[in-house]
Amino acid sequence: LTVNFIDSGKKMLAFYDYGKIGVYDIEKGEELWCQTIDQPVKSSRLLPDRYLNDVSYLENNNKIVLACRNGYIKSIDIKTGKIDWEYQHTVAKIGGKPQRGYLAKYKENSFTAAFKTGEIVTLSYKDGHIIHKAVNEAFAANNPVWSHDRNAHFITDEGLYYKVLLDGGEIESR
């Protein structure tokens, strides 16, 4: 179980094993919803994928945008649990392990999702459509990227700093 506070601390967002996610209203002391949103797989205690500890999600206008297993990103209504849209990355698994995107806020109407395959996509909060896409194997993400002025900034596992254009992936600096 992992719990995060959302909606300015008025609600709790809980992540459970087997892909279950719940939202609880703290002021009213009640569950708003709890359902299977992600792939229903038990987190391994011997070889954990750290999902329950490293949850990647964003809040935007009464919605939760959640990075799920197999390259899915889902927008969920905080009050009802209804899935508004889904995006699925083209590569679901790497080395047999489910891939998750690392999410980061970009602009008021968009966010970035960085994947271990070397892709950084900028998606619309409204409907999940791709606004920009940057691709380069060197961009293999292990954490969210910081985006500003049409650029993404990140450090690779090898310790290399990159500044790249979100639209196309051209390297601005290294």
Side-chain angles (χ1 to χ4, degrees):
L1 171 69
T2 298
V3 174
N4 294 279
F5 296 94
I6 58 173
D7 192 17
S8 301
K10 296 176 187 168
K11 294 180 179 62
M12 287 191 307
L13 173 64
F15 296 91
Y16 302 95
D17 268 346
Y18 299 105
K20 283 198 163 206
I21 298 167
V23 172
Y24 302 84
D25 188 311
I26 294 171
E27 293 173 341
K28 295 179 181 175
E30 65 185 22
E31 176 185 289
L32 296 179
W33 56 270
C34 186
Q35 62 194 28
T36 302
I37 298 286
D38 203 353
Q39 191 177 28
V41 175
K42 178 158 179 62
S43 294
S44 169
R45 299 301 179 229
L46 298 175
L47 300 168
D49 66 3
R50 297 194 44 85
Y51 170 65
L52 295 175
N53 296 323
D54 296 334
V55 175
S56 189
Y57 74 93
L58 299 170
E59 280 184 78
N60 183 271
N61 295 329
N62 296 315
K63 307 284 184 209
I64 302 165
V65 177
L66 177 68
C68 297
R69 297 171 68 92
N70 292 335
Y72 277 98
I73 297 174
K74 299 179 182 186
S75 175
I76 306 156
D77 185 285
I78 289 175
K79 292 179 182 172
T80 66
K82 177 184 172 283
I83 297 173
D84 294 318
W85 56 259
E86 293 181 342
Y87 165 85
Q88 185 176 19
H89 185 60
T90 54
V91 180
K93 296 182 179 187
I94 293 181
K97 291 183 78 177
Q99 178 172 217
R100 290 184 197 279
Y102 295 98
L103 308 181
K105 291 183 180 187
Y106 175 43
K107 293 185 176 180
E108 189 174 314
N109 62 349
S110 61
F111 64 96
T112 59
F115 293 92
K116 291 181 186 267
T117 52
E119 294 171 273
I120 302 168
V121 292
T122 305
L123 300 171
S124 163
Y125 277 118
K126 182 179 179 184
D127 57 13
H129 78 271
I130 296 174
I131 298 170
H132 301 297
K133 188 173 187 176
V135 181
N136 186 317
E137 288 180 15
F139 303 166
N142 285 315
N143 52 47
V145 300
W146 185 76
S147 303
H148 180 70
D149 289 337
R150 299 185 64 222
N151 292 302
H153 303 261
F154 58 94
I155 298 174
T156 66
D157 279 347
E158 293 79 27
L160 300 173
Y161 165 81
Y162 280 96
K163 176 182 175 185
V164 301
L165 286 174
L166 286 171
D167 190 8
E170 181 181 331
I171 298 172
E172 297 262 299
S173 66
R174 228 182 244 201

